Amino acid sequence: MQKAFDPESFESRLYGWWSERGCFRAEDESRKPSFSIAMPPPNITGALHNGHALFVTIEDVLTRWKRMSGFNTLWLPGTDHAGIATQMVVERELAKQGLKRQEMGRKAFLAKVWEWKEKHGNIIVDQMKRLGGSPDWSRLQFTMDPGLSKAVRHVFVTLFEQGLIYRGTRIINWCTRCQTALSDLEVTPTDRKGHFWHLKYVPTGGGEALVIATTRPETLLGDAAVAVHPEDDRYKKLIGKKVKLPLLGREIPVIADSYVDREFGSGALKVTPGHDFNDYDIGKRHNLEIISVFDKTGKVNEHGGVYQGLSIPEAREKILIDLEAQGLLVRTEDHAHSVGVCQRCERVAEPMVSDQWFMNVKPLAEKAIEAARKGEKLTLEEVDKRDDAIKFLPEGWVNTYYQWMENIRDWCVSRQLWWGHQIPAWYCHNGHITVSRDDATKCATCSSTKMRQDDDVLDTWFSSGLWPFTTLGWPEKTKAYERFYPTAVMETGFDILFFWVARMIMMGMHFNDGKVPFKRVYLHAMVRDEKGQKMSKTKGNVIDPLDIIKEYGADAFRFTLSIMAGQGRDVKLSLDRVEGYKAFCNKLWNASRYVLMRLGHVASELPGDPLPKADFQKITGGKPLAEWVSAGRAKFHPINRWILAELDRTIAAVESGLEEFRLNESSQALYDFVWGQYCDWYIEFSKELLQHSEFISETQGVMMHVLEQALKLSHPFIPFITEEIYQHLPERPGVEKGAALMLATFPKRNARTTPEAEQAIEMVAVWKASIEKLRAFRGENNISPKARPKITYEVSDRGKADAFIAGVPVIRALAQLESLEAETGYLRGNPTTGEVLSGTAKFFIPLKGLVDVDGELKRVEKEKQTTLADIEFTKSKLAKPTFIEKAPKELIDKEKDKLRALETRVADLDHALGRLRQLK
RNA sequence: GGGAACAUAGCUCAGCUGGGAGAGCGGCGCCCUUACAAGGCGUAGGUCACAGGUUCGAUCCCUGUUGUUCCCACCA
């Protein structure tokens, strides 16, 4: 092993090695239980960002954990064609060569997109590999693969046959730049500074003009009426009368509708059914004419009179000038309001009336709500066992889901794009529609053979909504489908809860006999920068995950993401943290080197004390280490028993964290164990233990076993470094040479703590406390780390004498003492002796030449003060009659014991103070 | 307008349904001790946003206030 941890030297080598050995493969036929995750397919236009890194990490941790735990594990990867996004990227690319999609024609353009896809579509796949992701790449799917496309058609046609998909003329959101319809979700409300213009509408019969406020004066071209509230006394007499539309002079009626808010503006509303959602509804109620005045490119059409041909902003400007000139503009005020913009290009989305395909999702939504309601009442384990319930994690999201689902509206599924699944509907020259799974050549109504397929494609989310089952070969009843549907968990970002998760649940249940597509939904947080701001190119605060990997290694990055991915919390990515966890990897690396040296399998750099080369065949008598440990651990040295108990505790913590997707808890437990226990204490203890021949082989065995288990336990989080170290481990019974850690068995928690383990934990706790007290004494008194004092001890708790004495050698070693012997009366009472008390023992330290008396006086005085405060606090607690009456007995006894101990302590401190003062 | 989450050490966060607050980074001091200076040891630093309530006891449960963030919604 190299001396320094250098992730670049092994990451890509190991990934290739796993891949060659088929470590990522899931089996269609297997006796093992199944565990499956459908990967949220990244867009083919995407470059790996931190959101991807987070989901790859989380899903890979789960996948690797389940794989090692004996499951036939499928993590199914794929990519999404991402209709608008991809089409825009390719169009931009072509524009550089002076090419336009409209001029090329559909066929040639699509050929270019496919070409682009072949070239760039898998970049993100390679990037996911850099992170160590372990999906079954042999099953990689693309939303426009033939199988999936076939399934999409099947779904569309089936829904059409069921009357759930229909073609209709309705008001929809339209992007004049992308020139396509958008669903409600693809329009993002954005705060914009605008104006409120107050316009005059003059009644035809004369009289006072109506003043109407609008933020969009250009829409007056399409006004079909003016609406007032039926109870509004100001306008009552005008209802049924007509007013003259400014500029155009068309006469429009004044109607009464209770939708109008009397308090808002002037209380009169211009109604433009062709270009406003609410006005469209009002228009329906009053049978108003729908006048569309803008065309698909956002220009005024032939209904706009002299304004025809102007763009919307141009028309607005001109209209305002003209209104002003005619004295019809009463006043203008600033007005901040929210407008819907196209999610992709950020241009203001126009409500327009248009022919589109819609899906009635309400009936599907009801069942999807039902599944979540069931899941809410069940535990995670119960949900895992059935296929009709879904559990949300964090639970709070389920409310957001209900809110949307309960108010769901028909989904506009057609898009006026070329890149995507073309709608399987054909029109004959008589205008009949034929919807068909195969390319229609004959009209179903009139048998005409002059057929033309609908130009439109489906919303990208339509096909991704089918992802969890179409990727398994559905509608064919494939083995993969039988084995892996429903999937275990859907892990993705909350930002696509409605776009994707909700639709998968609806579609999944509808097309799979009510079986949910996944049993758990785990919504992870957003990755933000360290100040909590969204990362964006314009802010310039984007951290490229590939740069992080390059600088700190994939493992350190993964570990950072895991430990920061507390449920539902934002992940504030800070490079300081990544650096800290790289240090953790380095620690693990070096601890492993130490172990290998002590096993004699790596040339020791230590002068002298060569240890025998560990022969595990001999040490364990041919048994696998785990068996040898569980058979013999009760009789091991307390230090070995203790670290095994700590390991058990860690296994339990890691596992329970993983079960509930609390990756932060699992990784924190690993960190604490590896660094805080194994490295800081066990390895230090072992240096002493290995000096005693009777403990050498036992300690070598335990040291090796614990390292191996720790590597297994950490592997899902930090796969590369653990595999690399694992491959350096010496031969041992039960482990095939060259076996991959990735496919090793995940540690199982030990049944329960035995008395022997309890005893060892207690003993080691006493030793650690003694060492810490002695170190603190040295630190506070500025005793040089190089000094090796000779000190003595006296056991204060006779019952624990043996336990304490067994630890004397390690205390001596870790507290850097020349000697630690039983006090024989020589140091006690000597005015130059310092005393350190630690629970069960008292230490006597000759101070002469080591310490300055003033410093020590200060220290003791300070400790006395805090102890006195503690006594005060405890006394007052015990003095309360209500506490004595109502608090549990154990607690009261504990408090009383504590008080006694504190009082003894104060007496000792007074004693020490007296001595020190004498010394002065 | 409706809903949700959050507010704990200088910074980033733990604290898993109540019994005297923890970690990492940063700070300070000492040490290149034979796995690791990407290290070791020690140490400082908190009225757990604020105000009430429940309780013997509240960072934790309830109510309100303030602040931050997010989602949903048709106010022209």
Side-chain angles (χ1 to χ4, degrees):
Chain A
M1 272 175 91
Q2 293 166 294
K3 187 163 178 185
F5 160 63
D6 175 21
E8 265 189 319
S9 71
F10 53 78
E11 286 184 356
S12 64
R13 167 167 52 81
L14 287 174
Y15 200 88
W17 185 71
W18 287 328
S19 188
E20 280 160 31
R21 310 185 115 222
C23 291
F24 304 149
R25 291 271 174 88
E27 304 297 330
D28 281 346
E29 307 265 16
S30 170
R31 255 173 280 159
K32 297 177 184 172
S34 306
F35 178 86
S36 55
I37 302 181
M39 175 191 287
N43 294 353
I44 49 172
T45 53
L48 193 78
H49 57 61
N50 291 298
H52 295 127
L54 180 63
F55 94 64
V56 170
T57 299
I58 296 173
E59 290 172 29
D60 195 50
V61 168
L62 296 174
T63 301
R64 286 181 184 267
W65 167 53
K66 285 291 182 181
R67 191 185 286 123
M68 290 175 79
S69 302
F71 285 79
N72 177 27
T73 305
L74 172 62
W75 181 20
L76 203 150
T79 49
D80 193 288
H81 68 277
I84 302 186
T86 308
Q87 181 161 325
M88 273 173 66
V89 168
V90 177
E91 278 185 83
R92 217 175 296 143
E93 199 83 350
L94 291 171
K96 285 182 200 156
Q97 307 163 36
L99 292 172
K100 273 196 173 152
R101 155 170 83 96
Q102 289 79 358
E103 288 162 10
M104 297 170 71
R106 184 168 193 143
K107 209 169 162 191
F109 177 73
L110 286 180
K112 283 283 179 200
V113 185
W114 276 106
E115 202 177 283
W116 188 91
K117 188 255 169 186
E118 293 311 321
K119 213 167 144 194
H120 304 285
N122 278 346
I123 290 177
I124 193 151
V125 167
D126 295 332
Q127 292 175 328
M128 291 195 276
K129 290 179 180 172
R130 296 277 309 276
L131 262 170
S134 67
D136 185 347
W137 295 114
S138 71
R139 299 178 193 243
L140 182 75
Q141 306 266 348
F142 174 56
T143 44
M144 280 173 65
D145 282 345
L148 269 69
S149 300
K150 210 175 147 195
V152 168
R153 266 199 187 189
H154 178 67
V155 164
F156 184 93
V157 176
T158 307
L159 289 168
F160 179 80
E161 288 165 353
Q162 290 169 341
L164 294 168
I165 277 186
Y166 62 93
R167 187 166 174 80
T169 306
R170 294 171 150 224
I171 189 161
I172 47 103
N173 292 292
W174 181 268
C175 177
T176 54
R177 207 213 63 86
C178 303
Q179 301 206 12
T180 176
L182 302 170
S183 71
D184 304 340
L185 286 175
E186 287 165 302
V187 176
T188 320
T190 316
D191 288 334
R192 291 277 167 91
K193 273 182 204 154
H195 299 280
F196 229 173
W197 288 283
H198 297 256
L199 316 181
K200 269 188 195 166
Y201 283 55
V202 182
T204 51
E208 207 182 319
L210 261 171
V211 175
I212 297 177
T214 179
T215 54
R216 303 204 53 194
E218 69 279 10
T219 60
L220 72 79
L221 301 175
D223 280 0
V226 167
V228 298
H229 195 272
E231 312 286 307
D232 195 329
D233 294 333
R234 292 171 294 177
Y235 305 123
K236 251 184 181 167
K237 54 181 183 291
L238 283 172
I239 297 169
K241 304 259 169 64
K242 300 221 160 160
V243 293
K244 214 160 108 189
L245 188 60
L247 308 180
L248 295 189
R250 224 174 50 223
E251 288 184 5
I252 53 172
V254 177
I255 59 171
D257 196 292
S258 51
Y259 165 79
V260 179
D261 181 352
R262 274 172 286 185
E263 310 296 316
F264 196 87
S266 64
L269 172 71
K270 61 192 256 336
V271 183
T272 320
H275 297 287
D276 185 283
F277 284 88
N278 299 309
D279 293 7
Y280 180 81
D281 290 341
I282 297 175
K284 283 260 138 144
R285 283 199 288 274
H286 298 270
N287 247 324
L288 299 174
E289 190 188 353
I290 295 167
I291 310 162
S292 295
V293 290
F294 306 129
D295 67 14
K296 300 192 169 184
T297 63
K299 289 202 170 112
V300 177
N301 65 15
E302 68 277 12
H303 295 123
V306 298
Y307 304 100
Q308 182 172 358
L310 297 178
S311 70
I312 290 173
E314 286 164 355
R316 174 179 301 181
E317 205 176 328
K318 182 103 200 308
I319 284 172
L320 285 168
I321 292 169
D322 293 349
L323 285 168
E324 178 99 72
Q326 298 189 19
L328 295 172
L329 180 60
V330 180
R331 68 173 194 278
T332 305
E333 33 184 71
D334 288 341
H335 182 62
H337 60 143
S338 140
V339 294
V341 302
C342 172
Q343 190 191 36
R344 287 287 153 203
C345 72
E346 299 192 348
R347 180 176 296 189
V348 176
E350 292 297 328
M352 295 223 193
V353 174
S354 151
D355 272 349
Q356 300 290 343
W357 289 92
F358 295 91
M359 179 172 169
N360 171 12
V361 275
K362 192 111 202 158
L364 280 64
E366 280 159 15
K367 294 194 175 128
I369 290 168
E370 189 55 30
R373 294 233 184 265
K374 263 183 211 162
E376 263 194 296
K377 293 185 200 112
L378 300 169
T379 64
L380 282 172
E381 291 77 34
E382 287 166 339
V383 166
D384 288 344
K385 281 189 203 123
R386 44 203 294 171
D387 55 18
D388 62 344
I390 295 180
K391 193 107 182 145
F392 280 73
L393 289 165
E395 287 172 23
W397 285 110
V398 79
N399 291 321
T400 312
Y401 169 83
Y402 290 144
Q403 200 187 357
W404 189 72
M405 281 295 210
E406 279 160 6
N407 299 305
I408 202 160
R409 285 176 298 179
D410 285 6
W411 174 17
C412 175
V413 294
S414 44
R415 295 289 176 279
Q416 286 65 49
L417 305 169
W418 288 349
W419 177 243
H421 298 101
Q422 198 170 350
I423 291 177
W426 285 260
Y427 306 92
C428 71
H429 67 293
N430 291 321
H432 302 131
I433 298 177
T434 304
V435 169
S436 163
R437 287 174 180 79
D438 306 311
D439 287 5
T441 49
K442 213 169 87 182
C443 176
T445 314
C446 68
S447 296
S448 161
T449 53
K450 283 188 183 162
M451 304 293 281
R452 203 174 63 83
Q453 187 172 3
D454 194 313
D455 282 331
D456 295 353
V457 299
L458 288 163
D459 182 358
T460 298
W461 298 104
F462 190 88
S463 51
S464 26
L466 316 173
W467 188 250
F469 50 102
T470 51
T471 49
L472 294 170
W474 186 94
E476 310 300 328
K477 292 269 181 223
T478 61
K479 282 175 184 160
Y481 176 83
E482 301 286 350
R483 190 148 299 281
F484 296 114
Y485 191 92
T487 64
V489 51
M490 172 46 60
E491 193 282 332
T492 190
F494 61 78
D495 51 329
I496 50 175
L497 175 59
F498 306 140
F499 275 111
W500 195 42
V501 178
R503 284 163 179 167
M504 279 191 288
I505 298 173
M506 293 191 282
M507 292 291 211
M509 292 181 75
H510 190 70
F511 283 99
N512 296 279
D513 312 310
K515 287 187 195 161
V516 296
F518 30 77
K519 301 170 183 192
R520 303 183 185 193
V521 173
Y522 176 58
L523 296 170
H524 64 240
M526 302 302 284
V527 181
R528 296 169 187 279
D529 76 0
E530 54 196 319
K531 288 180 200 129
Q533 292 180 309
K534 229 175 185 168
M535 286 193 199
S536 74
K537 280 180 196 154
T538 45
K539 278 186 203 144
N541 60 350
V542 175
I543 310 175
D544 184 342
L546 294 172
D547 290 344
I548 300 178
I549 293 172
K550 211 164 165 204
E551 182 157 2
Y552 305 98
D555 289 324
F557 186 32
R558 291 170 59 116
F559 203 77
T560 309
L561 291 171
S562 313
I563 214 160
M564 294 182 91
Q567 276 199 14
R569 293 288 232 131
D570 281 350
V571 176
K572 288 180 196 154
L573 189 60
S574 121
L575 292 179
D576 283 349
R577 293 291 291 263
V578 185
E579 193 172 353
Y581 296 118
K582 183 182 180 185
F584 172 67
C585 292
N586 183 55
K587 191 78 182 171
L588 177 61
W589 182 265
N590 280 297
S592 305
R593 281 181 57 236
Y594 166 82
V595 172
L596 292 178
M597 284 177 198
R598 287 304 168 123
L599 297 179
H601 285 261
V602 160
S604 171
E605 285 151 23
L606 327 180
D609 80 334
L611 288 170
K613 185 165 173 167
D615 179 345
F616 289 102
Q617 200 67 34
K618 240 163 134 183
I619 291 174
T620 71
K623 284 188 220 161
L625 274 166
E627 265 177 52
W628 168 76
V629 163
S630 62
R633 64 191 289 175
K635 295 202 181 74
F636 286 167
H637 186 280
I639 287 171
N640 286 326
R641 272 186 272 153
W642 160 78
I643 195 67
L644 289 166
E646 288 288 351
L647 174 68
D648 283 335
R649 199 146 77 184
T650 308
I651 294 171
V654 170
E655 202 170 42
S656 76
L658 283 167
E659 256 147 26
E660 294 180 23
F661 302 152
R662 286 202 250 261
L663 269 59
N664 57 323
E665 287 179 18
S666 301
S667 23
Q668 189 66 51
L670 282 170
Y671 187 97
D672 292 343
F673 175 73
V674 169
W675 202 321
Q677 303 301 335
Y678 191 68
C679 293
D680 286 351
W681 291 104
Y682 182 73
I683 283 182
E684 295 308 319
F685 284 144
S686 80
K687 289 175 183 171
E688 173 61 26
L689 272 190
L690 289 167
Q691 308 277 327
H692 303 271
S693 57
E694 68 267 38
F695 297 124
I696 291 178
S697 65
E698 176 196 304
T699 302
Q700 284 180 323
V702 171
M703 199 181 229
M704 172 67 204
H705 172 71
V706 176
L707 175 64
E708 186 177 351
Q709 296 300 97
L711 291 174
K712 288 179 179 173
L713 217 47
S714 314
H715 181 262
F717 300 88
I718 43 175
F720 292 113
I721 184 179
T722 49
E723 184 74 83
E724 178 66 10
I725 296 169
Y726 192 81
Q727 292 309 319
H728 281 91
L729 298 184
E731 260 181 80
R732 54 221 183 273
V735 180
E736 233 174 278
K737 216 173 173 182
L741 171 61
M742 186 178 163
L743 300 180
T745 306
F746 200 74
K748 298 215 168 47
R749 50 178 119 182
N750 208 45
R752 64 181 69 86
T753 328
T754 60
E756 290 83 5
E758 296 274 16
Q759 188 204 21
I761 292 169
E762 233 171 89
M763 287 169 85
V764 173
V766 169
W767 305 346
K768 280 162 89 173
S770 299
I771 293 161
E772 280 171 338
K773 284 280 180 185
L774 289 167
R775 281 174 178 167
F777 182 85
R778 296 178 68 126
E780 283 161 10
N781 291 288
N782 272 332
I783 298 176
S784 157
K786 284 177 193 155
R788 292 287 180 276
K790 294 181 181 179
I791 75 168
T792 62
Y793 68 86
E794 180 189 83
V795 181
S796 36
D797 186 340
R798 296 223 168 265
K800 291 180 181 163
D802 289 346
F804 177 82
I805 291 165
V808 166
V810 290
I811 296 171
R812 188 198 56 74
L814 271 67
Q816 314 264 50
L817 306 171
E818 169 74 28
S819 67
L820 175 59
E821 278 162 15
E823 170 62 19
T824 53
Y826 176 68
L827 285 175
R828 184 214 315 275
N830 187 318
T832 61
T833 298
E835 289 181 10
V836 171
L837 186 88
S838 153
T840 43
K842 193 185 270 183
F843 296 94
F844 301 95
I845 304 163
L847 299 177
K848 216 166 184 180
L850 274 178
V851 74
D852 76 300
V853 179
D854 284 336
E856 176 63 358
L857 257 173
K858 237 167 134 182
R859 185 191 73 83
V860 176
E861 185 58 45
K862 190 177 148 200
E863 189 178 344
K864 186 184 163 189
Q865 290 315 315
T866 58
T867 313
L868 282 174
D870 278 1
I871 287 176
E872 217 33 58
F873 184 86
T874 312
K875 265 186 178 166
S876 74
K877 206 168 182 179
L878 285 167
K880 271 191 182 167
T882 45
F883 177 75
I884 301 297
E885 278 162 32
K886 303 212 173 172
K889 233 175 236 152
E890 308 87 73
L891 190 70
I892 296 172
D893 288 344
K894 215 174 102 190
E895 292 292 325
K896 282 181 179 165
D897 287 348
K898 197 160 103 190
L899 187 60
R900 263 193 296 275
L902 287 170
E903 277 163 349
T904 316
R905 181 79 190 127
V906 171
D908 280 337
L909 290 170
D910 276 334
H911 196 60
L913 281 173
R915 254 196 338 271
L916 283 164
R917 286 197 190 102
Q918 261 182 28
L919 203 60
K920 277 190 85 167

